[in-house]
Each structure stands twice: as C-alpha cells, then as structure tokens.
Amino acid sequence: MTFATFDPSAKSAHFTLSGGDLIATPDGTADYLNVAGNLYLSSGKRYFEVTITSASGNSRAIGIATSGVSIADGQYFPSGDCYGYDGFNGTKRSN
C-alpha cells in the first residue's frame, strides 16, 4: 500500500515540510499558498484525511486537482481543474 505525503517539489516556498512530509507549516508571510501531494492518480476511488491544526483569515481550504494545476503563490483554487472545500465559510469551490 502506498501512502500520500506532501510533495517537496510541488509546494510554495513559504511552506516548510516536516514529519516525513506529512506536516506543511506556512511561514506566515504570505496568503493563498499551495502544496500538492505526491500521489497522482488517474482513476478509482481514493480516501484521504487532513487535519488543520491552526489557520488564520481565509487560509484554510483543502481539495483535489489534476496534475497540471499551477501551485503558484497567491492563487486561490488556481487555474486548471481543481475542486475543494473552503474551511473559512463552508462552501464548495471549483474554478
């Protein structure tokens, strides 16, 4: 069985990864930061869990995206096919 972690090569420079790439900690100097996982899947059902231990402002969202989605800083649900849940106000998001 393969387990997902965060991908060190697909993250904002404002994130530090730790705990075997299971913990992503922002440095607090920028908003709308992105980090991707390391599993890129093309079909089938998948399950994942995320725990947000702290967040401020509107900085708590989680989602899924195609492998071609840009993770540039400052993009909130950036270009490409992505879908997510906005933890700030409870809405579902897509672009």
Side-chain angles (χ1 to χ4, degrees):
M1 180 177 270
T2 302
F3 293 95
T5 63
F6 290 115
D7 185 346
S9 67
K11 70 173 187 65
S12 164
H14 296 281
F15 271 114
T16 299
L17 300 182
S18 61
D21 295 335
L22 292 172
I23 300 168
T25 305
D27 65 13
T29 63
D31 291 326
Y32 304 114
L33 305 176
N34 299 294
V35 60
N38 68 340
L39 290 180
Y40 301 95
L41 309 167
S42 60
S43 65
K45 290 182 180 182
R46 302 295 185 250
Y47 171 84
F48 67 95
E49 293 183 14
V50 174
T51 302
I52 299 174
T53 57
S54 120
S56 62
N58 57 2
S59 62
R60 41 193 181 266
I62 186 69
I64 58 173
T66 62
S67 62
V69 169
S70 167
I71 61 161
D73 289 350
Q75 296 186 25
Y76 186 61
F77 288 92
S79 61
D81 294 324
C82 54
Y83 308 90
Y85 173 77
D86 185 335
F88 180 66
N89 59 20
T91 60
K92 294 178 185 175
R93 297 273 188 168
S94 66
N95 62 343

